[in-house]
Amino acid sequence: TRSSVWDLNLRSGEMWWSSEFPLMLGYPPDELAMVRDTWESLIHPDDLTLVSSSGQRDLEIGSASWRMTYRMRRRDGGWLWVEDQATVQRDPQGQAIRLTGVIADVDQRVSAVIELDRERSILQATLENVDQGIVMYDRDHRLVTFNRRAVDLLRVPIAFLVDHPTFEQVTEFQVRQGEYAEYGHDPTQICERWRDLAT
């Protein structure tokens, strides 16, 4: 499977994981020493501080569980995105004594999100470098994206647009600002006129 179970005794430091863990990272089952230092040495340096501090904070505030997504080094030197979920066991005094968790390979999912964010950034940069005002609505007439030139032309505050209003809400705002006076002050008529032009 693309997931592994693990267990850490917080008092003794003893750690155990199932054989799927090294296999996820491309290691033979017996190549990795089954100790906490091995686990931490495989975490990406840029993620290690966050993983450690977040886990420690959750233990200190009494959380019953925690979840983190971070990168671990594969045997070939590449990095694998994993999602780590753990349950905290505590003694009668509330002190954390054990962590039991499941770590899963989520590399494809996280990579897809990163790629989508990258494409969105490229699209937004492109939109910001054209002279025309551009707005995009979905099939429910809700604003999806826009560029700054559109903000200037619509004469609508950017703070209003970032909440993804509908076309009707944008039009109503403009009417209150005195736009479209030649069409009357009924936003419904204005929206219907624009729909007619679109078809």
Side-chain angles (χ1 to χ4, degrees), residues 1-4 20-26 80 82 103-105:
T1 66
R2 302 302 293 172
S3 62
S4 171
E20 291 83 7
F21 172 64
L23 293 175
M24 283 169 50
L25 300 172
L80 180 78
V82 298
I103 187 166
D105 173 356

Side-chain angles (χ1 to χ4, degrees), residues 54-55 57-66 86-90 96 99:
S54 176
R57 183 187 67 246
D58 287 347
L59 292 178
E60 291 173 354
I61 66 176
S63 297
S65 63
W66 61 269
T87 300
V88 183
Q89 298 179 40
R90 298 181 181 274
L99 292 174

